[in-house]
Amino acid sequence: SRAELHNKLTVRGYDSDIVDDLLASLAAEDLVSDCRYAQALVAHRVNTGYGPQRIKMELKDKGVASEIIDQTILSVEVDWDELLRAQHNRKFGVSKVGSFKEWARRAQYLGRRGFGTDSIRRVIGSWDRATLAQEDLDADINP
C-alpha cells in the first residue's frame, strides 16, 4: 500500500516530502494504487479462507483508507456463509458439536479467521443444549 511504501522509505532515511512527491507521481501514473492493492489482498485472503472482518483489519493495518476497504469488500463476489462453512468443514469435518466447550472452540477458531458472530451462528448454530438434545432424540428415533 502507499502508506507501507511511505513508512519503509522514511525509515531508510529518505525525506518525507520527497517520498510524498515520489508516491504522488507514481499514483498519477497508476503505478501505485491502494484500490488495486486492496483488491489483490482481498482476493488472496478469500482464497485462503479468511472472513471479512479479518480482511478489513489487515487492510486497515496496512494503511488503506476506510472508503477503499468498504468499497472493495462490497464489490467482491463471495458467499461469506459458504466460505465459513467450507472453513469449518475443512478444520472440523461435518461432525456435530457435542458440548459447549467444543462449540466455543469452533466458534473462536472461526472468529479468529475473521467471521462475525452472526455468521458463525447461522452456519454452525448456536449452542443450545435443549436443541441438541432434541436432535439427538430425533436421530435415535428415526435412524
Side-chain angles (χ1 to χ4, degrees):
S1 71
R2 189 172 172 163
E4 285 181 305
L5 287 173
H6 185 274
N7 289 340
K8 285 184 179 188
L9 292 172
T10 55
V11 164
R12 291 189 178 166
Y14 294 100
D15 184 29
S16 183
D17 293 333
I18 294 172
V19 171
D20 286 335
D21 292 340
L22 172 67
L23 291 175
S25 67
L26 290 173
E29 295 178 30
D30 202 30
L31 296 173
V32 172
S33 170
D34 280 351
C35 291
R36 206 170 46 242
Y37 174 77
Q39 290 169 348
L41 191 133
V42 167
H44 177 68
R45 292 297 184 234
V46 165
N47 287 335
T48 55
Y50 286 97
Q53 292 176 347
R54 171 82 179 254
I55 295 169
K56 285 180 183 180
M57 181 185 66
E58 189 171 345
L59 285 169
K60 186 178 178 184
D61 289 346
K62 303 275 186 188
V64 177
S66 297
E67 302 83 34
I68 295 172
I69 294 170
D70 294 338
Q71 179 184 8
T72 305
I73 293 292
L74 289 174
S75 70
V76 67
E77 294 180 13
V78 64
D79 182 351
W80 295 109
D81 285 351
E82 188 57 38
L83 182 62
L84 187 151
R85 185 174 289 105
Q87 278 305 111
H88 176 269
N89 292 344
R90 184 188 64 77
K91 177 75 173 176
F92 303 108
V94 292
S95 64
K96 290 197 174 219
V97 177
S99 68
F100 175 75
K101 184 176 179 180
E102 177 64 19
W103 180 88
R105 186 174 77 84
R106 292 179 184 199
Q108 288 172 350
Y109 169 78
L110 294 169
R112 285 190 306 273
R113 299 279 306 178
F115 297 100
T117 306
D118 292 338
S119 297
I120 293 169
R121 286 185 176 145
R122 264 194 317 273
V123 172
I124 69 169
S126 295
W127 173 254
D128 183 3
R129 193 179 312 252
T131 301
L132 290 174
Q134 185 60 44
E135 287 176 359
D136 289 341
L137 284 175
D138 291 343
D140 289 340
I141 294 170
N142 301 318

